[in-house]
Amino acid sequence: MAKVIAPFLIKGTIDDINFVVTADGENYARKRGNTGVTAEEFKNNPIFDRIRNQGQEFGQCVRKAAQFRQLAVRFNTLAKDGSVAGRTNKLLFEILQEDTTQPQGKRTLTEGLKTSEGKENLLFFESNKLRPLRTVLKIKEEYNPDSQTVIINDFLAKEHLDWPEEATQVLLATATANWDFENDSYETFYSSEWILDKEAEKQTITITTEKPSGNELHLTFLFIGFLKQDRKKQIVLHRKYNTTTVIAYHVPKP
């Protein structure tokens, strides 16, 4: 049997090729009536062209996704769920499909990210889908891309957040990353942290980062982490309670 590498599972029969999915989720192809399709047949038989092409496209998305998760790695360590890797792969594959300059099989994520639709797809990606921003933060933040500043006006912590039961404080911070996705490099600046008690008075929160030196694609992440007081220490709650979200993108003028 030949293993199928594609961003989807295939079941059924095409001509004399059976596609099967094993109990552990692996996808294989084999000739009907024979023991299976050899790796050489899978490589050279035109019937598999579409699967091979999509597998190649998906492979580049998987590689880029690993870097995407590093853009705000400090936040992602403290706020993520178990599906984040798979969801990142899927997100970037959807963006790759915005590349209309090449036929299927030769499309690239780089071209997809150059489109406005591709960039829009990045907005409000959640590292922890269990705690999406619009559920955790009950008022809307403002963002100024020229100064890399997030503002939350008239913020009343007790009322404007969805608090985990044991949390006593909240930590707010941002990160601005310049992602040079063509050359596989990035630069990230993190803001200072705001730590507020649950009973803190109403106030305006202003969070700013330095501006990255590159002018490729600037992405801004908002982190909301909850803490509990343990004697004299403040301990960040488990990552399932916290939130990391892409809230803005900006392409600076050279």
Side-chain angles (χ1 to χ4, degrees), residues 2 43 48 99 115 128 139 143 156 158 175 177 189 207 226:
K43 179 179 178 181
F48 297 114
D99 176 10
T115 67
N128 180 12
I139 59 174
Y143 179 66
L156 187 59
K158 186 175 183 178
F189 285 107
I207 316 173
F226 292 92

Side-chain angles (χ1 to χ4, degrees), residues 139 151-157 160 201-205:
I139 59 174
I151 300 173
I152 308 175
N153 288 303
D154 299 325
F155 179 65
L156 187 59
H160 292 154
E201 295 182 355
K202 182 183 291 186
Q203 58 193 293
T204 293
I205 306 297

Side-chain angles (χ1 to χ4, degrees), residues 6 21-22 28 35 75 102 107 148 181 186 196 230 239 245:
V21 178
T22 64
Y28 293 93
T35 57
F75 295 166
Q102 298 292 333
R107 298 172 297 186
Q148 300 81 233
F181 49 82
Y186 65 92
L196 303 174
D230 185 10
R239 64 194 187 192
T245 311

Side-chain angles (χ1 to χ4, degrees), residues 192-245:
S192 299
E193 299 174 349
W194 282 73
I195 298 179
L196 303 174
D197 290 335
K198 187 175 183 178
E199 303 295 335
E201 295 182 355
K202 182 183 291 186
Q203 58 193 293
T204 293
I205 306 297
T206 302
I207 316 173
T208 303
T209 69
E210 293 183 46
K211 182 179 180 179
S213 58
N215 293 316
E216 283 73 31
L217 176 60
H218 287 191
L219 295 175
T220 298
F221 300 79
L222 175 59
F223 173 73
I224 302 177
F226 292 92
L227 305 91
K228 64 179 180 180
Q229 195 71 34
D230 185 10
R231 298 182 181 180
K232 295 183 179 181
K233 294 182 179 180
Q234 294 170 324
I235 300 175
V236 179
L237 296 188
H238 189 276
R239 64 194 187 192
K240 68 182 180 182
Y241 295 111
N242 304 322
T243 301
T244 299
T245 311

